[in-house]
Amino acid sequence: MEPMEPNNKDASNASKNQCNSCADSSCSAAKRHDGEAEQDFLERRALQSRLCRIKHKIMVMSGKGGVGKSTVAVNLAISLMLAGKKVGLMDVDIHGPSVPTMLGLEGATITNSPDGLLPVELGHLKVMSMGFLLPNPDEAVIWRGPVKGGVIKQFLADVAWGDLDFLIVDAPPGTGDEPLSVCQLIEPIDGAVVVTTPQKIAAVDVRKSITFCRHVGMTILGVIENMSGFVCPHCNEVTPILRTGGGQAMAEDMGVPFLGSIPIDPLVAEAADAGQAFVMHYATSPTAEIMRKIVAPILAMDDKA
Ligand code: SF4
């Protein structure tokens, strides 16, 4: 697939002129830096004028694939929305976008407006994903780092996110181009939520994510241990079928907050396959209650603001 077509000129010009309505002369986007090219200034201002309308920006990361990171990102975003917040969910897993499937938004498309690209809306949740731009779900995206960085920049600067309380960014596993682009482009970013599973092999990889955050100066909001024990579909008892506690031990060892453990719940997988947001459709289940408790400190960030 070819790199994403830039949006039309109207949308591009609209976003680049947005700062004309703001009188904050102390903002760094209000004037051109010494030696900064006009085009670079316009692009920086376009990006900043989107980001300044979003109160909290959070990246969800994992050290390796298969730990349920997108499930956590989706349910985090939906939990915040259900708590009355205006939320954006930006899926920057360019090679394997799963957010549209998990939210039942497959086949949805992005449209243009004078204010920029319009994200897909689900209640008060605005969603942007590479999955909306692929002509068919089997299409492989074969792009190198700089192109991916350009797409992430477009997702931030050219999408009409509007005023949001939270933007949740679902990054692909590992510490490659995409998470690096996100933390370079979103300035300031509130921090990262790191998802792992209890097994030692996952905890080893997640240490790399924490080291990455420290290298780029990004706050670690906390670690979530996913797939920690199994919820019996008959009696709801949680059985530790595999080793548990690895994520918590690793978080303590690395001196970062531990947000909590989410058990393996067949309903979570069922909801994702059915394109239903788990915390919304199974709101009364014990696992949804666990997820809400895990989200509470993140929700409190906005109440403190
Ligand atoms: S980036 Fe935001 S705060 Fe800064 S000048 Fe533009 S609109 Fe105003």
Side-chain angles (χ1 to χ4, degrees):
M1 177 186 177
E2 292 298 311
M4 187 166 60
E5 283 292 312
N7 54 320
N8 72 23
K9 281 201 174 78
D10 281 355
S12 177
N13 288 340
S15 71
K16 288 190 171 106
N17 287 332
Q18 252 174 345
C19 284
N20 289 347
S21 60
C22 175
D24 185 356
S25 59
S26 66
C27 176
S28 67
K31 51 183 177 297
R32 210 162 135 180
H33 295 325
D34 287 346
E36 187 176 33
E38 173 74 7
Q39 187 59 28
D40 292 344
F41 168 55
L42 290 177
E43 286 180 11
R44 181 170 63 81
R45 193 173 67 166
L47 177 63
Q48 242 171 292
S49 65
R50 296 283 188 206
L51 295 178
C52 74
R53 297 175 64 186
I54 303 171
K55 288 202 267 178
H56 303 284
K57 300 107 178 165
I58 295 170
M59 178 156 64
V60 180
M61 316 175 60
S62 68
K64 64 197 272 84
V67 301
K69 171 191 50 60
S70 293
T71 302
V72 169
V74 162
N75 284 290
L76 168 59
I78 294 282
S79 299
L80 293 168
M81 180 195 81
L82 292 174
K85 302 297 175 186
K86 284 180 276 180
V87 186
L89 176 59
M90 188 171 100
D91 176 10
V92 298
D93 194 339
I94 287 167
H95 299 286
S98 48
V99 166
T101 307
M102 288 182 169
L103 288 175
L105 298 174
E106 279 171 314
T109 49
I110 300 296
T111 50
N112 235 329
S113 78
D115 187 34
L117 299 167
L118 294 176
V120 175
E121 297 200 21
L122 190 70
H124 289 292
L125 180 70
K126 295 180 177 174
V127 187
M128 185 66 193
S129 168
M130 194 64 216
F132 299 139
L133 303 166
L134 296 173
N136 76 68
D138 299 331
E139 187 80 51
V141 176
I142 308 167
W143 292 345
R144 292 187 191 277
V147 180
K148 291 190 275 186
V151 169
I152 293 170
K153 193 172 182 180
Q154 274 193 286
F155 276 16
L156 289 166
D158 293 348
V159 171
W161 292 107
D163 295 313
L164 295 180
D165 298 310
F166 289 94
L167 178 68
I168 306 299
V169 181
D170 181 17
T175 53
D177 296 310
E178 294 90 334
L180 185 60
S181 293
V182 168
C183 53
Q184 285 171 339
L185 290 165
I186 301 182
E187 179 59 48
I189 187 164
D190 290 65
V193 169
V194 184
V195 182
T196 186
T197 54
Q199 292 76 38
K200 196 171 171 187
I201 184 107
V204 167
D205 280 332
V206 91
R207 283 174 185 269
K208 291 181 192 154
S209 299
I210 291 172
T211 309
F212 166 88
C213 293
R214 287 181 173 154
H215 277 309
V216 298
M218 183 163 52
T219 302
I220 297 144
L221 299 173
V223 170
I224 295 174
E225 182 176 292
N226 194 24
M227 305 181 187
S228 182
F230 174 75
V231 181
C232 172
H234 302 295
C235 68
N236 285 331
E237 188 181 334
V238 177
T239 308
I241 49 171
L242 297 168
R243 181 178 179 268
T244 59
Q248 182 163 13
M250 183 275 304
E252 282 167 12
D253 187 42
M254 296 204 73
V256 296
F258 182 68
L259 294 173
S261 304
I262 302 172
I264 300 170
D265 186 334
L267 290 177
V268 174
E270 226 170 82
D273 280 353
Q276 296 170 329
F278 173 78
V279 280
M280 189 149 71
H281 286 270
Y282 295 98
T284 56
S285 71
T287 306
E289 178 58 25
I290 290 170
M291 287 182 179
R292 280 192 290 275
K293 280 194 185 138
I294 286 175
V295 171
I298 293 169
L299 186 58
M301 286 166 57
D302 192 51
D303 297 334
K304 278 185 223 149

